[in-house]
Amino acid sequence: IALNRYEVIITNSIDAAEKYSAAAVIQCRWLDILFRRMEFKIGLEEKSVLIIQRTWRKYCKLKASIVIQRVWRQIIVQQNFLQMQAREAAAAMIQKTWRGYGFYSKYHVLISSANKIEARVRLYQFRKSFLELLNATSLVQMKHQDYLIKKWLEIENDASIRVQCNLRGWLGRKVAMCKKKRRERCNIIAMHLEETCSG
């Protein structure tokens, strides 16, 4: 019985040892599995962290590149806008200058033609006023000559009248003297005749 018990104890101890070793093997296996799972999880977590970090870095780089591209595009747009404004201002200045040159050439032609017209009008007015003045002077000269001629004729007429008066007076005196002398002769002759007749 004791032997049986000992066998039973040995068998139990062997079973217990086997069970213990089996349990240890199972625990080791389970720990190995858990460790591998943990390593896998840690690897997954590390991979996910690395993926997240890589993705975040890519996102940051992409965002930075997008921001840089946006800023660069804004700078290019501003430069293009400034260049466009400068070109438009230069084009407007060129157009203004060209229009001014066209207007100035037309204005110069108009001014020269207006000067020619004014010169012609002044020449016409000067000729007209000169002809009027010439006609007026010729009329004044004619009137003056008529006045002088009338005055001379009046003077000549007065002179001729005076000459005629003087001549008539002289002739009248001459005739009167001749008549007086004839009367005196006739009186003398008559007195002689009377004396001769009475004597």
Side-chain angles (χ1 to χ4, degrees):
I1 295 171
L3 197 77
N4 286 331
R5 283 182 184 172
Y6 184 72
E7 287 180 0
V8 168
I9 290 168
I10 289 172
T11 54
N12 285 333
S13 63
I14 290 170
D15 287 335
E18 287 179 357
K19 285 180 181 179
Y20 181 75
S21 64
V25 169
I26 290 169
Q27 285 178 355
C28 286
R29 293 286 181 182
W30 179 248
L31 288 173
D32 189 26
I33 290 168
L34 288 177
F35 185 72
R36 285 182 181 177
R37 282 184 181 176
M38 285 177 66
E39 282 184 351
F40 183 72
K41 285 182 180 179
I42 290 169
L44 283 177
E45 287 177 358
E46 287 179 355
K47 283 183 180 178
S48 61
V49 167
L50 291 173
I51 289 169
I52 290 168
Q53 287 178 353
R54 193 179 299 124
T55 308
W56 178 252
R57 289 192 189 102
K58 285 182 181 179
Y59 174 74
C60 289
K61 288 181 181 177
L62 183 64
K63 191 174 181 181
S65 65
I66 289 170
V67 170
I68 290 168
Q69 288 177 358
R70 187 183 300 132
V71 172
W72 182 250
R73 285 193 193 102
Q74 287 178 358
I75 291 169
I76 289 173
V77 166
Q78 286 178 357
Q79 287 180 354
N80 290 332
F81 180 71
L82 291 174
Q83 288 178 358
M84 190 181 298
Q85 280 186 345
R87 287 177 184 171
E88 286 180 355
M93 183 63 70
I94 291 168
Q95 289 176 356
K96 191 186 294 181
T97 307
W98 180 252
R99 288 194 195 102
Y101 174 73
F103 288 146
Y104 179 73
S105 60
K106 290 179 182 177
Y107 177 75
H108 185 67
V109 171
L110 288 174
I111 287 295
S112 61
S113 61
N115 289 330
K116 288 179 182 177
I117 291 169
E118 286 178 357
R120 294 290 177 87
V121 169
R122 288 195 190 105
L123 183 63
Y124 173 74
Q125 289 177 352
F126 179 73
R127 284 180 180 173
K128 188 176 180 181
S129 62
F130 178 74
L131 289 174
E132 288 177 356
L133 185 62
L134 186 64
N135 290 329
T137 52
S138 61
L139 185 63
V140 168
Q141 287 176 355
M142 287 173 61
K143 294 289 184 181
H144 184 65
Q145 286 177 358
D146 290 339
Y147 173 74
L148 290 176
I149 289 169
K150 285 180 180 179
K151 194 76 174 173
W152 183 74
L153 287 175
E154 287 178 357
I155 292 169
E156 289 292 324
N157 194 8
D158 291 339
S160 62
I161 290 170
R162 285 180 184 175
V163 168
Q164 288 176 0
C165 288
N166 290 329
L167 185 61
R168 285 185 189 130
W170 183 75
L171 289 174
R173 286 193 298 271
K174 193 84 172 171
V175 170
M177 286 178 67
C178 288
K179 286 182 178 180
K180 188 176 180 182
K181 287 179 180 179
R182 280 181 188 172
R183 282 178 193 164
E184 288 177 354
R185 283 179 189 171
C186 288
N187 289 331
I188 291 168
I189 291 169
M191 286 176 65
H192 282 296
L193 288 174
E194 286 179 0
E195 288 177 358
T196 54
C197 286
S198 65

